[in-house]
Structures are given as structure tokens and as C-alpha cells.
Amino acid sequence: MIKKNISIILMVLVTTVVFSQKRIEPTDEDKAKAKALKVEFPDDDVALVSSVDYVTFDLNKRDDKVTVIHSAKENMINIDTRADLQKYTFYDGESTIEKFEILYRNEKDAPFYVKDEAYKSNDLFHNDSRVKYATMDFPLRGYRYLTHIEKHYKDVKYFTKLYFNGQYPTVKKTIKIEIPNWLNLELKALNFDGYDIKKKVTSNSRGTAKIHTYTLKNVSAMYDDSNAPGPTYIYPHLLILAKTFKNGDDTVNLFDSTQDLYNWYKSLVNSLENDNTDIKSKVVELTENATSDEEKIKNIYYWVQDNIRYIAFEDGIAGFKPDEAANVFNKRYGDCKGMANLTKQMLIEAGFDARLTWIGTKHIAYDYSTPNLSVDNHMICSLFKDDEIVFLDGTEKFNSFGEYADRIQGKQVLIENGEDFILKYVPSTTADFNKEKFAYNLELTGESITGNAIKAYNGESRASLLHYFNGLKNDKKDEFLEYYLNKGNSNIKVTDIENSDLLNRDDTIDIAYNIDIKNAVSSFDGQIYIDLDFDKELSSYTMEKRKTDFIFGTKKDIESTTQLTIPAGYSVSHLPENINVSSENYDMRVNFTEENNTLIYKKRFKIKNAKIEINDFEEWNGFITKLNAIYNEQIILTKD
């Protein structure tokens, strides 16, 4: 009897499992849908049949804060043979995850284990971010899951924007934002041009709120391009500008203006307890023997660059509030805000007018006309002297006084000015400010090329070289210079290196050396074949399968001249073709000439705006193809 009952139970279980499995396996309709979506999105494994963001707001009267509930529902479908992925969401001290559900298409719970752990990043020394995630498997094409994540924000100021594009392509994206009548909130549409985004505004059933609904069909996933512009430049999104709210009869300001944003930033600065006792003696040491104000300033600025290790630090309010100067000084590390505050306090101790300055790097498209916490991501120090403002960024190792990294050039800054603020722009430079100039004087010595070289580095090319060089251990520095000059090529021997001071960030870096190149010359039947180019700049910079502009770290200006003495009794019988191309973003040319028994090979590569735009790609790739042909083509000398 017991055996019979067990058999019945097992039969029921098997039947239930089989029946349940049939209810979640792909339907014919889903299989066809997945196949069609794979054609539309061939580079993706998973797509979203639908994605709905629903945002509502509430009022925490006790803390006088507007809170946010962000509900995100996705209908996911596998469009490949099988797929495995992680579904995840981040939160921190200012937010909580109230719901993290993964369901089968029949809305029954899928048994995935949801983990919750601290988020670790090599770029962050300390942060309070956490991540909830689950590993999902899609066993068959057309297999679907439904996900629902609900995130609560304790303060609306930390809820800054919503994107239409995401990790996966989406058949239909919907964003619904329900704004109560007591909340004054602007939805600023950015990058909508070229997208058929539908919008409608309706009242909720009680007439107490307006519901703003945006829909967009056939949305691509965010592009997986390296060196891409920041997403705020590329993708359509809504910037959330919460301005004021009503609490009873009172109107409470949030970020209604730039002044409001500044007031909040300044309140964090005013809460600092900057006791400069610990830094006074160091300031005296750095300035007492200086013969000018500029030397005093440089000594302080360069000391911060050289002695304070930059680390990113995001921990609730500390993600916006600078650390006290003495803490950064004693620990010898800090984030950009802490380093800016230390620079400011040291300069004040030396008798100068220095102020904290907020700025968004070039990764961010906004300026301070949009008061929102996503407008900036960096802090520097402004020095007011002789009716001029000089910006000091201690995180930029080996930047010279008065020079600025490309990532902040042209960007608007918000400078503290008591109860008011000052808006300015960081000056921009042209590409020739970063000039790299190479000169080779060479001759043939048997089966080798020998001679000497002189190289000069300016601006950010100089700073980059110094930063790398001075980050090495002392016993590795000579070895590095040789490796740097021969590019790790064992056929190139570098000797007798003479260089300018590799601790001096204020002057051009000059390096001179002798060079001996093996396996670059071959000769037979009265002809000599020469591989003359061993730098091969930009050879790998083809823009293939990109959907976005290519952004360089700096503007570039590389000028190279190689002079090769033609051996007596020989003449040039073959040279590669001269090439050149020019656009708003670059000037590129390569040419060969012969003069006084000398072959002169010149290259000039100027990337004027630190970017190659999508509409440049065809022309750019054509030039790089020709350039690589030159690099791979031999020069031929023929015996007279």
C-alpha cells in the first residue's frame, strides 16, 4: 500500500513538472519573434519584448524630503540558441531595493538565487554601493522571463536621469512618470532628435497628479564601443530637475536654480572643520626659500601632485563632501574633492586666494544651466591672482602650472564665492600645445641602420611620459627609457641616452640617443630594400564596427622627420606614394622627398579636437589603410 502511494505521488509530481515545463517553454509565436529579433539585432543574445519604467513620488514630512519609487519591469526573451546573463541593480546609502523578482512567462517564480553584496571596483578605494544580482539562464531560443525591480530613493536629488537605451535592445520602451501636483519637477528631454519618441500627458484617476508617458519602439542596446563619448552625449534620456515642492502652506526649494545647487554644495563645504595646524609647517617648508609668488604656488601645487595618492571615494554624502585638508595631508591620499581642499588650504596658509571649484569633465554633456547632481563629477581648486584665475587639479600628475588636461578644457566651472558663486570656463588649447617632435638622422651600415635621434615632448605628451616614468621604481627607470624609445623591439638598440630633467614638468622634455636597427635592410642583385619606419604611429586606429565617435585622451600633434643618407653609388628607385587628408578634426600627411643625396621622410599627424567623428570614418579608414601600406612597403635603392 505504501509503495502504491509513493508511486502515485511520484506520478503526480512528474506530471506536474512536465505540465509546468510545457507552460514555460517557448511558444511557436515566441520562437518566431526571437528569430525575427535576431535578424534585427544580430549582435545581441537577449532582447526585451517590453520595458516599462514607472516613477512615482512621495513626501517624507518628517525629514522634509521628496522620496522616489522607481519600478522597472522587463519582459526578456532569448533571441539566440541559449544565453546566460546576470540581472543586477545597484543601490547605496541613499536608496534601497524593495523588490527584485524574476518570473517565468506564466508569472510563476523562477528559482534563481538573488545575491546582495558590497560592490567592489578597482577604480574606487571605498564606496557604499551595493549590488543585488542573479545569474539567469535562457535554455532555448524564444525562452522568456519577466523581471521586476523596485528601487526607492530617500531624496529626489539623487534621482537624476532616465535613459531609453539599456543593456539590451528593446521592442517597446515605456517611461511613465507620475508627478504629484505638490511637486514642481521638470522633465528635460535630451538627444531626442532622430528618435520617434511619443509623449502624452494625462491626469491620474484622482486628479492629484499628471502622468507623463513616453514610448519608443525598436530601441538598440547601448553601444559597446571603447573610447566612446559619455552616454549623455549619445542616447535619448530625461534629465530629472526637481525644483520645489509644497509641504502644507510652505514652498520648499530643491534645485530650482544654479544658486540652489551651489547652496547645497556650499553647505557641505561649510560643515568642514578645517584645522590647518598639521599643514602649516609643510607650507612654510615649501615657500620659505621661494623667490616669487609663482614659485611658492608651484611648490605647493606640485607637492600635492607628487605626494597625495589619488583614490576615488564614494560613500553617501562623502561622494559630494570634501574631506578635511588635514586628513588628506596626514593620510597622504584622497579623492578629487579632498585633494582640491588640501590644495586650497595650503595656498590659503601661504597667503593666497584659493577656492573650491566644481566641474563636469568632458564625459558629461551638461553645464550648470541644468541644476542637477549629474552635472559634475570632479572638483579642482581655483587660484585668484593678479586679476586672473588659474585652475589647479592635483589629480593630474605632472601637469604644469597653468596647463589643463584635455578632459576639463572648455568645460564650465562653478567656483565658490561666499554666498554667491562664479561661473567660468577652463581655457582650451590647440593640438600643437601637446607637440611631439621626432628627428632621426640615419645611414646604412652594412645590413643595419644606424644614427641618432632627438625627441621632444610638450604639454600632455610630456605629462604622460613623466607620470609613467616617475611611477617606476628607481632601478627600473633606465630600463624603461630604453624600452620606451625602442618600443620593446629587440631589433632596435638604443645607447648613449641623454635627457633633460625628468622631474621638471615646466619645460619641454628632450631626449637624444644613438640608435642601431637590425633586420631592416636587405640587399641583392644590386638593390637595397629598406624598412625605414619603426614607430608606425596610429597603425591600429581603424574605426571598424563602431556606432559612436572615437574619443582620444588628448589632442595630438606628432611631427616626425627621418633623414637617410643614400650610400654613394646608389639612387632611389622606389618610394611609397605621398598621402594626405584633412578635415575639421584632423590634418594628416606623409611625404617623401630627395635632396642632396638624402632621403627625407616626413609625417605629420594632428588630431585637432581629440576625436574622430562617425562621418569621418570612411575617409579616416581610407587614410589609415594607405598609411599601413606605407609602413609595410620597402624603400628600394638601386646601384647606379
Side-chain angles (χ1 to χ4, degrees), residues 234-390:
I234 304 171
Y235 304 108
H237 63 284
L238 295 169
L239 195 61
I240 313 297
L241 301 175
K243 298 184 174 185
T244 63
F245 68 91
K246 287 277 191 180
N247 188 356
D249 294 331
D250 297 327
T251 298
V252 181
N253 262 22
L254 293 167
F255 292 153
D256 191 24
S257 65
T258 306
Q259 183 69 54
D260 294 323
L261 179 65
Y262 173 75
N263 289 346
W264 187 72
Y265 283 160
K266 195 66 167 67
S267 71
L268 301 180
V269 172
N270 291 342
S271 68
L272 296 176
E273 297 177 1
N274 277 311
D275 180 354
N276 291 345
T277 302
D278 290 352
I279 69 176
K280 289 179 183 292
S281 61
K282 176 55 70 174
V283 171
V284 171
E285 176 191 328
L286 293 170
T287 59
E288 61 183 348
N289 295 321
T291 58
S292 67
D293 283 350
E294 182 171 312
E295 186 179 354
K296 292 178 182 179
I297 295 164
K298 285 182 177 181
N299 288 348
I300 291 171
Y301 179 39
Y302 296 165
W303 185 89
V304 173
Q305 285 187 5
D306 295 346
N307 293 278
I308 305 300
R309 181 166 59 96
Y310 169 73
I311 52 97
F313 186 96
E314 296 180 3
D315 192 356
I317 205 69
F320 300 92
K321 179 182 177 180
D323 196 3
E324 276 81 4
N327 290 341
V328 178
F329 177 79
N330 290 322
K331 292 183 297 187
R332 292 296 199 266
Y333 66 77
D335 68 356
C336 63
K337 298 176 295 296
M339 295 177 76
N341 190 37
L342 176 59
T343 305
K344 170 190 169 180
Q345 295 301 323
M346 292 181 78
L347 288 169
I348 287 174
E349 286 297 322
F352 297 104
D353 181 1
R355 310 181 193 182
L356 295 178
T357 301
W358 294 263
I359 183 173
T361 65
K362 282 192 173 179
H363 190 71
I364 295 175
Y366 318 132
D367 62 22
Y368 285 100
S369 64
T370 52
N372 179 291
L373 290 184
S374 62
V375 71
D376 48 39
N377 59 349
H378 192 39
M379 182 179 278
I380 58 178
C381 176
S382 293
L383 172 73
F384 285 67
K385 190 176 185 304
D386 300 331
D387 298 323
E388 292 185 5
I389 301 175
V390 181

Side-chain angles (χ1 to χ4, degrees), residues 116-268:
D116 187 337
E117 58 188 45
Y119 174 66
K120 299 179 178 63
S121 169
N122 292 332
D123 298 325
L124 297 174
F125 174 74
H126 183 270
N127 71 98
D128 69 339
S129 293
R130 296 188 65 83
V131 59
K132 274 194 174 184
Y133 67 97
T135 301
M136 303 168 59
D137 68 288
F138 292 76
L140 300 167
R141 173 178 278 179
Y143 209 86
R144 288 197 290 128
Y145 289 109
L146 311 176
T147 68
H148 183 194
I149 295 174
E150 186 175 288
K151 184 174 181 178
H152 291 200
Y153 293 82
K154 300 175 185 178
D155 191 332
V156 67
K157 69 167 60 79
Y158 298 105
F159 182 68
T160 58
K161 54 185 173 290
L162 285 168
Y163 285 99
F164 287 83
N165 304 74
Q167 189 175 3
Y168 307 106
T170 306
V171 177
K172 184 179 181 181
K173 176 70 179 183
T174 303
I175 296 177
K176 290 187 175 183
I177 304 174
E178 184 173 332
I179 305 175
N181 296 339
W182 50 264
L183 176 61
N184 177 15
L185 184 144
E186 178 188 352
L187 300 173
K188 187 169 185 177
L190 295 169
N191 302 332
F192 273 35
D193 289 348
Y195 294 90
D196 186 20
I197 298 174
K198 309 292 187 185
K199 178 188 177 181
K200 68 177 181 178
V201 181
T202 58
S203 295
N204 67 354
S205 59
R206 301 184 304 280
T208 58
K210 290 288 192 295
I211 301 174
H212 299 249
T213 303
Y214 301 81
T215 56
L216 178 61
K217 294 182 179 178
N218 299 320
V219 190
S220 65
M222 285 188 170
Y223 308 126
D224 188 23
D225 285 348
S226 62
N227 294 82
T232 54
Y233 290 94
I234 304 171
Y235 304 108
H237 63 284
L238 295 169
L239 195 61
I240 313 297
L241 301 175
K243 298 184 174 185
T244 63
F245 68 91
K246 287 277 191 180
N247 188 356
D249 294 331
D250 297 327
T251 298
V252 181
N253 262 22
L254 293 167
F255 292 153
D256 191 24
S257 65
T258 306
Q259 183 69 54
D260 294 323
L261 179 65
Y262 173 75
N263 289 346
W264 187 72
Y265 283 160
K266 195 66 167 67
S267 71
L268 301 180

Side-chain angles (χ1 to χ4, degrees), residues 435 455-458 462 500-501 504 506-510:
K435 185 87 167 193
K455 295 190 173 184
Y457 301 86
N458 296 275
R462 176 195 62 219
S500 57
D501 183 2
N504 187 346
D506 291 324
D507 292 329
T508 300
I509 292 297
D510 294 309

Side-chain angles (χ1 to χ4, degrees), residues 394-591:
T395 70
E396 290 292 345
K397 304 300 184 185
F398 289 95
N399 258 29
S400 181
F401 176 69
E403 294 184 7
Y404 310 118
D406 189 78
R407 67 181 184 134
I408 66 171
Q409 288 182 24
K411 292 293 292 183
Q412 191 181 48
V413 295
L414 179 75
I415 306 172
E416 65 174 334
N417 188 39
E419 297 305 310
D420 198 0
F421 61 88
I422 297 171
L423 292 177
K424 292 289 184 181
Y425 288 88
V426 177
S428 292
T429 59
T430 55
D432 56 1
F433 187 78
N434 301 322
K435 185 87 167 193
E436 299 176 58
K437 193 167 185 179
F438 309 149
Y440 298 98
N441 290 290
L442 307 173
E443 61 182 21
L444 301 184
T445 306
E447 296 294 303
S448 298
I449 300 175
T450 60
N452 59 74
I454 300 173
K455 295 190 173 184
Y457 301 86
N458 296 275
E460 290 196 76
S461 70
R462 176 195 62 219
S464 177
L465 173 58
L466 294 183
H467 185 194
Y468 191 87
F469 178 77
N470 287 283
L472 298 171
K473 294 180 180 178
N474 285 330
D475 61 349
K476 298 290 185 181
K477 290 184 176 180
D478 289 342
E479 182 180 322
F480 161 74
L481 260 186
E482 183 175 344
Y483 181 87
Y484 186 83
L485 296 171
N486 69 15
K487 300 184 182 297
N489 187 339
S490 59
N491 287 314
I492 301 175
K493 185 177 181 181
V494 171
T495 57
D496 301 323
I497 301 172
E498 296 181 3
N499 52 267
S500 57
D501 183 2
L502 294 181
L503 288 173
N504 187 346
R505 69 206 78 194
D506 291 324
D507 292 329
T508 300
I509 292 297
D510 294 309
I511 304 175
Y513 56 96
N514 291 331
I515 190 168
D516 187 335
I517 308 163
K518 307 292 185 186
N519 298 320
V521 180
S522 57
S523 58
F524 50 89
D525 292 338
Q527 292 187 314
I528 301 175
Y529 299 84
I530 305 167
D531 295 314
L532 192 57
D533 197 307
F534 37 90
D535 287 327
K536 294 180 170 55
E537 302 94 341
L538 302 175
S539 61
S540 62
Y541 281 80
T542 51
M543 307 301 164
E544 297 177 348
K545 297 182 178 180
R546 289 187 67 89
K547 303 292 180 63
T548 62
D549 298 345
F550 185 96
I551 306 299
F552 288 88
T554 66
K555 303 179 185 74
K556 294 182 180 293
D557 187 355
I558 304 171
E559 182 178 339
S560 174
T561 302
T562 300
Q563 297 190 67
L564 175 70
T565 301
I566 300 171
Y570 282 84
S571 59
V572 177
S573 58
H574 176 75
L575 288 174
E577 183 181 351
N578 295 338
I579 58 174
N580 70 84
V581 68
S582 184
S583 80
E584 181 181 340
N585 290 315
Y586 49 78
D587 291 323
M588 316 280 282
R589 64 177 184 267
V590 178
N591 67 280

